[in-house]
Amino acid sequence: MTKKVILIADDEPQLRLLVRTTLEDEDYDIYEAEDGQQVLEVAAQISPDLFLLDNMMPILDGIAVCKALRANPKFCDRPIIMLTAKFQQRDIEMGKAAGVSYYLTKPFSPLELLTLIEEILT
Amino acid sequence: MFEQLLRFWFRLPIRSKGTVVIALPVLCLAIAIGISILLNRRVELAEQEVQHTQEVRLCSEQILRLLIDAETGVRGYLLTGDAEFLSPYYSAKEELLDLVDGLEALSQENPSQLPRLQAISEQVDRRLASLQSNIALLQSSNGSLTLSADGEKLETLIRGKSAMDALRNNLREFIDVEETRLAKRQQTLDQERALSRAALWLAGGVGIVGGLGANYLYTISIVRRIHGLQRNALLVADGEPLSEPILGEDEINRLDQALYATADQISQKQTWLQTANLQIAEAARKEKALLDNSLDVICSIDGEGRFVEVSPASFKVWGYLPSELIGRFYTEFVVPDDVEKTQAIAAEIVAGKPISGFENCYIRKDGSRVDIIWSASWSATEQLMFCVARNHTERKEVERMKNEFVSTVSHELRTPLTSLRGFSEILLRKSCSPEKQRQYLTIIQSESKRLTHLINDFLDLQRIESGRQNYDFAPLDLVPLLHETVALFAGANELHLFRVEVADFLPEVKADGDRIRQVLSNLVSNAIKYSPEGGEVVISAVQQEALVQVSITDQGIGIAPEAMTHLFTKFYRVDNANTRKIGGTGLGLALVKEIIEAHNGQVWVESELGRGSTFFVTLPQAVQVPKTLVNSHYPSATIDILLVEDDTAFTELLREQFGHTNLHIVSTAFAEQALELIQQHLPRLIFLDILLAGEMDGWDFLITLKGNRQLASIPVVVITITEPNTRGLVFNGAEYLPKTVAPELLKQAIQHHLPHLAGKVLLIVDDDPNFRQQVIDSLKTGADVQFVEAANGRQALECIRHQLPDLLILDLLMPQVDGFEVLRQLRSDRKTLTLPVLVMTGAELTLAEKAYLKRGLATLVSKQSVGMEDLIQIVEQTLGVVGRRE
């Protein structure tokens, strides 16, 4: 069984580090992106099994990245977890419409994230 | 007497007056005719009498002639016996008796002649009898005369002759008497005729006088008064006040009284109408002011969707003047996407359902879009839709910014929290190497710092904005603070190069050190953040007159011009790819601005996109350093007149008018820039137009200016095309001049606000002659100023009595009469009540003394703190303080 590939996108390095640390004991290939543009570039190369996107990112925000991924037949059914500080109903609806699979509100518990990821990928 | 008569006459009714006027000449004429008839009658009588006398005379003469004829005939008969000679005798005999009877009849009215007539009658009878006897004598002799008888005949004849003579004499006498009477009567007749003629003239004269009198009465009582009546009637018609009332108690007078009553009524009604008109005009004015000043567009639209009336706010909201909109369909201005829903809602309104809160989007004249929120209702009577359109863009923008702020704050708060929670959980749950542990704990520490910082910023801003921030102002040396700040950032930064540039001598500023440190670190931190490629960050501080200006320059990404105006707005963050990467709450610069303004300083930015930015901060110096003559820029650095006006023609006019004077005129088309200039240069007079080039209009400017306690006292003259409205009048400091104002009025306004020394008389009262000379020297700057000196209060009061100066420069401590007493005496005299007084004293004054001077309307200046070179300015300002002597 090949390793599942996860792409983490956040402009805050310490958050990327947090997610990486959370998942380091599991058997995942983890890639990082600093902004939305990078997500699309990296994704084209590595074809991740799961996207972990921050909503507020430079250049392209999480919603825009979501839309772009869903528009691509290659990624149209890949799970996307949105890590967001936005918790308003409106934002969530917008996210759902853009194709977000799961929402995780900051600050999240690493355990919670881990559980969710395992649930998705098994 | 005459007056009484006249009064009585005026009291008569017109009919009686008419009767009198007609009767008077008729009566005169009648009297004249009567007199004339009477006199004529008398003339006739006199004529009859004359004729009578002539008849008497004729009769008498005929009697005589007949007798003579009879005598001659009888004589012939006697001589010839021929009976033919007797025919005269017979005819005479017949006639004579009639004649004598006739004569008697004629003389009946004259009894004096009757005896004479009696004698004549008898003599005639006797003569006839004698002649008869003669004839009888002849006939008895058969008709032949004989000689014997001749003697008898002769005797008879002789007797006859004497009788005849006697008769003739008698007749002569009789006739003489009649002649005399005739002469008399002729005379009487002539007199009567003369009298009659005179009477006729008199009658004519009386008639004319009567006519004239009647005419006079007619004129004064009817014609003139009717003219008066006519005049009053015309005056009533013209609405003019009536001339004096017409005397009398007749119909004319009553008519006049009626005219007066009418005029009274008219004037009452006019007054009422005027009041009503004023009320209507006032109401209309208020309505207009309301319409003109409304920030919302108030408009009416007809059933077909065309603008009928539009309030001036349309220019601000849509960029169109009302005249450009009226008559056009509103659908032309609605963005195509919104037309359908707008028409649907309009149909509902026309159907009678008022709406409120309908939103659509309009296209402004410049092509930009503007969100509008509508309230509208349909008036069935006027067949018009009345609408209020509010610019919703800003509200929407604010809403958007608020949402964004919430998101940002949420993001900014939750991001470090996520790290805190996440890493602490990992540390708790997992066994990590000490290095890892340290790494995670470092992250936790820095993220908690970040969180603290954010919360502090936010709370600071809240506190400052709510006015609860207490500042601890003290003299502060900026230099160590600048170095300190740089050191703080330079230590943790390898990308940037830091440089501090400070003037050799930098005065201390009046500031709260902690707050200024906050400002500096915010600005330096920004400079670092927004120059991600590195580069030099220069921090410099220089003295600018009474201010110290600090600038922080970076070589970063710069700021787009459209972002500059919002830069200091709370929550605002420049929104682009670069800045997204750069964290921040949008609070830093807002905080800087609040803090600096609380210090009476200013903050602004100059920037070029891609080249970097420079933020400037000014802070007031701690103590007023006495200026030396060298670095005083008066008058060029002082702005006399600041012109806030986008109309260059007007600016040119003002410059042309006052270019030759020493007035330093500065103009700007932007209220924002004007406010900066005002902070820096404190102009003495501001001319303000309402329509300006920038974001702020004249009203915004005025509100800002008058809201600043330090600047509120600067006089503002609003110069505008449109009439000033209630909004402008709220501000006492603002006067109004129409834009079409004559240069003369402009000059007056300037002279009123900027009294000039030239031509003024200054009285300098000080016991120190050196000081007096010093003052004179410093004020004698080419201007034609007349100085009067006094060494003590008594001299000063004498001088003032002798010649009232334009300004008094007064020392307080002087021998004999001191300055307080001088002021007291001046202010108790009506003539010197408003004389501007500038007290220059070296003495330390108690609060009570200062209050006394303030009550006495004196401007107080300390000799120590004021340099002589500032004196001109102070004196000119003082000239304008107390009401000037006209």
Side-chain angles (χ1 to χ4, degrees), chain B residues 257-268:
Chain B
Q257 280 171 350
L259 275 180
Y260 265 85
T262 311
D264 268 359
Q265 273 191 359
I266 290 174
S267 93
Q268 269 174 16

Side-chain angles (χ1 to χ4, degrees), chain B residues 413-475:
Chain B
L413 287 172
R414 282 164 188 267
T415 301
L417 265 179
T418 310
S419 296
L420 294 181
R421 183 175 175 184
F423 285 109
S424 54
E425 205 181 299
I426 286 169
L427 281 170
L428 283 172
R429 279 196 19 220
K430 285 167 76 171
S431 50
C432 309
S433 64
E435 294 80 37
K436 287 270 170 164
Q437 281 181 14
R438 188 171 179 77
Q439 189 193 1
Y440 299 158
L441 284 170
T442 313
I443 291 173
I444 289 174
Q445 190 195 26
S446 78
E447 290 299 281
S448 55
K449 267 191 197 163
R450 177 174 156 189
L451 201 56
T452 313
H453 185 69
L454 181 74
I455 290 169
N456 282 347
D457 262 11
F458 187 63
L459 292 180
D460 278 351
L461 191 66
Q462 286 294 102
R463 190 170 57 239
I464 289 168
E465 278 188 337
S466 63
R468 281 182 286 116
Q469 172 70 48
N470 288 321
Y471 292 92
D472 182 14
F473 292 117

